[in-house]
Amino acid sequence: MIRRVGIACSTALVATAISLAVALPTSAQPSADPPVSGDPRATAHSGNATTCEQAGLSGSKVTVGFVIDPTNRFVTITSVPSDIELTGTVVKGGDGYNVYGPQHLVLLHSPLVGANNQNIPQISHWFACGTKKDTSTTTTTTTTTTTTTTTTGSSSSTTTTTTSGGAGGGTTTTTAPAGQGSGGAASGDLASTGVSAVTPMLMAGGALVLIGGALLYFLRRTRGQRR
């Protein structure tokens, strides 16, 4: 009797062990269905990500301005530092996380959960990634040239002043004397050709001719009236 009971107990233990060996691997297998992002702007990933590298984004975590809705399901980035180039945003919730591109800032959320993937879970954590912008500056050089021409009598001179701005800039002055006589004057310069000295004499001669003509006419008229 005792032997039969021992055999029965051993058989029951073996059957239980076999059942557990079969059931445990089956229950430990992860779900084959990937998470659903619920947003065409986002790419959904299963599991968790706590760094930019894990999320496949360049740069590192950056501080940005943001607001989260009262249900803790949507985050909106309101500002990014001027010296930061945003590379993306990660939003974790449920059993997965969504990765958004740098151009997407409004109403970001985690992958869908629940029956038929119809629910947006609360955000467990989120972070933005970015890199430092290149702040190197380019030096611009501005050149201003001023030319001054001075004429005195039959000679003239030209002074050119060039001023350059930017690194290494300076001032250079060059003076070049013009030729003598009519060849050294600027085009149309009457002083170098002597015309300015002759013109007053011509005007004076013309005035004398007019005065003489007027006197001759006056004398002739006076004689005519006496006759």
Side-chain angles (χ1 to χ4, degrees), residues 21-121:
V22 173
L24 285 176
T26 302
S27 61
Q29 291 178 354
S31 174
D33 296 331
V36 177
S37 68
D39 189 337
R41 303 174 299 169
T43 301
H45 300 270
S46 59
N48 187 21
T50 58
T51 66
C52 297
E53 183 179 3
Q54 289 176 351
L57 297 175
S58 59
S60 56
K61 292 182 181 180
V62 295
T63 301
V64 295
F66 67 95
V67 293
I68 296 181
D69 78 303
T71 66
N72 192 34
R73 286 177 169 83
F74 299 92
V75 58
T76 295
I77 297 176
T78 57
S79 63
V80 179
S82 58
D83 60 339
I84 293 297
E85 186 75 27
L86 204 66
T87 60
T89 305
V90 178
V91 185
K92 170 70 168 63
D95 295 329
Y97 59 94
N98 275 339
V99 178
Y100 287 86
Q103 70 275 25
H104 304 308
L105 306 175
V106 180
L107 296 178
L108 314 181
H109 61 80
S110 58
L112 302 180
V113 296
N116 300 321
N117 295 315
Q118 294 181 347
N119 299 323
I120 298 176

Side-chain angles (χ1 to χ4, degrees), residues 119-177:
N119 299 323
I120 298 176
Q122 290 190 342
I123 298 172
S124 60
H125 68 269
W126 73 277
F127 55 90
C129 298
T131 58
K132 282 280 188 180
K133 290 182 179 179
D134 184 8
T135 57
S136 60
T137 58
T138 302
T139 302
T140 302
T141 301
T142 302
T143 302
T144 303
T145 302
T146 303
T147 302
T148 304
T149 302
T150 304
T151 302
T152 303
S154 60
S155 64
S156 64
S157 63
T158 301
T159 301
T160 302
T161 302
T162 303
T163 303
S164 299
T171 301
T172 303
T173 302
T174 303
T175 302

Side-chain angles (χ1 to χ4, degrees), residues 143-226:
T143 302
T144 303
T145 302
T146 303
T147 302
T148 304
T149 302
T150 304
T151 302
T152 303
S154 60
S155 64
S156 64
S157 63
T158 301
T159 301
T160 302
T161 302
T162 303
T163 303
S164 299
T171 301
T172 303
T173 302
T174 303
T175 302
Q180 300 297 322
S182 59
S187 177
D189 189 350
L190 299 181
S192 62
T193 62
V195 175
S196 61
V198 176
T199 300
M201 297 177 62
L202 292 176
M203 294 177 63
L208 290 175
V209 171
L210 291 176
I211 294 173
L215 289 175
L216 182 60
Y217 173 78
F218 178 78
L219 291 175
R220 288 180 179 179
R221 185 176 181 182
T222 303
R223 291 177 181 176
Q225 288 178 353
R226 290 179 179 178

